[in-house]
Amino acid sequence: MQTGVRRSAASGLVLVTAMSLSVAGCGISGTPLGRAAPPSATSTPDASQFSPVEKLVDAAAKTNQGLITVVMRVPGIRTEARMDPDGRKARTNIFLEDVAGDLFEVEVIQIGADLYLRLPDVPGQTSWMHGGAADFPPDSPLRALRESDHSRAADLANCVVSADRKGGHDFTGLLDLTRSRNVPQKLLTELGPKAKAVPFRARTSRDGSLHEFTVELPSVLPGYDEIRYTYSRMDTFDVERPDASQVTELTDSLTDRFEV
């Protein structure tokens, strides 16, 4: 089963999860990411004195603290990741739309170094498959928890080259997407020099963390769609390992088919 998402996803522009699926007839693939990691954003005091760019960097740092839900939307793909970085637990639901408009779901649970994957919409794939998180590249969209920047907010903030503050919580500005370690090379190639000046808009929450961040690709690359991230806090979050009777081991040969 190939996902026939619109040009944005089909061309691999999704910053977090750009995949086509084909395991048991529905393979999973994505764009390898080989660029160096951006410096981690860290929160510092006297935030009231920050410039708009510094304010967004600080907001990204706050976003990576505590329980967080991150929703990414682009036509054809939606991901919902709920994460407890301190407890090393996460649950991600990835929804992909095929050419017929049907949704195809991927469920992922990560607890510590263990990763459980299920494809409930694929016949014969209702059981969970278990593997080590280390079996997948560090930047794989299947790995919600990273050593840092699990929300991917710091990567976005690292791309901000200019910003203006519009009122108390709204920002606009330009991104240099060549700074990102999450943007597929294919998109950078299509953007060319425009990759260094992609408009964005963002909004922060009352606690100073990010609430929303939108990459406005259509303004520089007509025919593409914007990418929107929404961040929200959770009071509690927990996820359990699937029952052992419902788990099979993810074999090396099957892992190789997850080209992420």
Side-chain angles (χ1 to χ4, degrees):
M1 173 182 175
Q2 291 292 329
T3 57
V5 295
R6 279 150 283 207
R7 184 180 178 188
S8 56
S11 299
L13 67 84
V14 180
L15 295 182
V16 176
T17 306
M19 301 191 299
S20 61
L21 299 172
S22 75
V23 169
C26 293
I28 292 186
S29 64
T31 305
L33 305 172
R35 288 179 291 282
S40 298
T42 56
S43 184
T44 58
D46 301 323
S48 62
Q49 304 300 315
F50 286 166
S51 70
V53 173
E54 293 170 331
K55 184 65 177 177
L56 288 171
V57 171
D58 185 67
K62 289 183 170 69
T63 303
N64 276 323
Q65 299 169 1
L67 308 181
I68 189 73
T69 297
V70 182
V71 177
M72 187 282 298
R73 294 181 179 87
V74 67
I77 298 180
R78 184 176 85 253
T79 67
E80 300 177 2
R82 295 170 176 81
M83 295 170 280
D84 174 4
D86 294 333
R88 304 303 296 167
K89 293 183 177 183
R91 181 169 190 135
T92 304
N93 295 82
I94 306 169
F95 302 92
L96 301 102
E97 184 180 344
D98 65 16
V99 291
D102 297 324
L103 287 179
F104 183 90
E105 184 178 6
V106 182
E107 298 178 75
V108 185
I109 291 174
Q110 186 175 343
I111 299 178
D114 293 310
L115 189 148
Y116 302 88
L117 173 73
R118 184 166 68 169
L119 309 172
D121 298 321
V122 177
Q125 292 293 328
T126 56
S127 297
W128 292 90
M129 294 175 283
H130 168 261
D135 295 336
F136 300 88
D139 294 318
S140 168
L142 299 178
R143 293 178 61 171
L145 298 172
R146 306 183 183 187
E147 293 304 316
S148 62
D149 196 26
H150 51 276
S151 73
R152 280 62 164 181
D155 185 76
L156 288 169
N158 186 64
C159 294
V160 175
V161 292
S162 65
D164 293 311
R165 194 167 184 173
K166 307 293 184 181
H169 296 281
D170 294 313
F171 297 79
T172 60
L174 295 175
L175 304 172
D176 178 356
L177 294 184
T178 66
R179 295 181 179 182
S180 172
R181 68 196 306 260
N182 290 320
V183 176
Q185 184 61 48
K186 178 179 176 60
L187 175 60
L188 294 178
T189 299
E190 293 197 42
L191 283 167
K194 296 178 181 178
K196 293 181 175 291
V198 177
F200 77 91
R201 63 183 186 273
R203 176 173 293 180
T204 57
S205 301
R206 290 184 177 180
D207 66 359
S209 60
L210 283 175
H211 172 64
E212 190 174 275
F213 199 108
T214 302
V215 183
E216 298 180 331
L217 278 174
S219 63
V220 292
L221 206 58
Y224 279 73
D225 298 287
E226 67 181 22
I227 305 168
R228 179 175 298 177
Y229 297 87
T230 304
Y231 309 89
S232 58
R233 291 296 174 192
M234 299 179 291
D235 292 329
T236 61
F237 170 75
D238 196 17
V239 62
E240 301 295 332
R241 300 176 190 272
D243 189 273
S245 64
Q246 298 296 317
V247 177
T248 60
E249 289 301 310
L250 188 63
T251 65
D252 290 341
S253 60
L254 188 56
T255 302
D256 292 339
R257 297 179 65 183
F258 288 76
E259 299 172 5
V260 291

